[in-house]
């Protein structure tokens, strides 16, 4: 929230955010929108109707593309460690 507040205070035109919580940013997103700053939610949902737009990402498609790149780059050899991130993120369900 502090980082977004700093961007709002800097009078930027657009904020693109990948939120860690669907509700934690409601206040600053609303503030940005009231100041005329476009706010775009990327990848993770923000549960407010004040967003300019939302860009949804398919975790399965992203995972497939990444896996194929790794296979091609490593030539089918090597060890890969996968860290899925926090519980509940979409990538774990794919």
């Amino acid at each position: 929230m502090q980082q977004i507040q700093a961007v709002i205070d800097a009078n930027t035109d657009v904020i693109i955010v990948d939120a860690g919580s669907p509700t934690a940013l409601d206040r600053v997103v609303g503030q940005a929108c009231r100041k005329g700053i476009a706010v775009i939610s990327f990848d993770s949902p923000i549960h407010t109707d004040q967003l300019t737009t939302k860009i949804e990402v398919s975790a399965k498609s992203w995972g497939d593309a990444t896996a194929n790149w790794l296979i091609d780059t490593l030539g089918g050899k090597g060890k890969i460690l996968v860290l899925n991130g926090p519980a509940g993120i979409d990538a774990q369900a794919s």
Side-chain angles (χ1 to χ4, degrees):
M1 287 191 299
Q2 291 174 337
Q3 291 173 329
I4 294 175
Q5 185 63 57
V7 172
I8 292 169
D9 294 343
N11 295 316
T12 189
D13 295 319
V14 178
I15 297 171
I16 300 173
V17 63
D18 185 357
S21 162
T23 57
L25 301 178
D26 287 354
R27 183 185 61 76
V28 290
V29 166
Q31 182 182 0
C33 290
R34 285 189 298 278
K35 286 187 135 193
I37 299 170
V39 180
I40 300 166
S41 171
F42 173 80
D43 189 33
S44 57
I46 297 179
H47 296 214
T48 178
D49 59 356
Q50 297 186 51
L51 289 171
T52 305
T53 193
K54 297 177 184 180
I55 299 172
E56 299 293 328
V57 175
S58 167
K60 182 176 181 341
S61 294
W62 179 84
D64 289 347
T66 302
N68 287 325
W69 179 85
L70 282 168
I71 291 166
D72 292 343
T73 301
L74 297 175
K77 297 178 183 178
K79 296 180 181 179
I80 300 170
L81 173 64
V82 177
L83 303 174
N84 288 330
I89 61 168
D90 187 39
Q92 292 180 354
S94 298

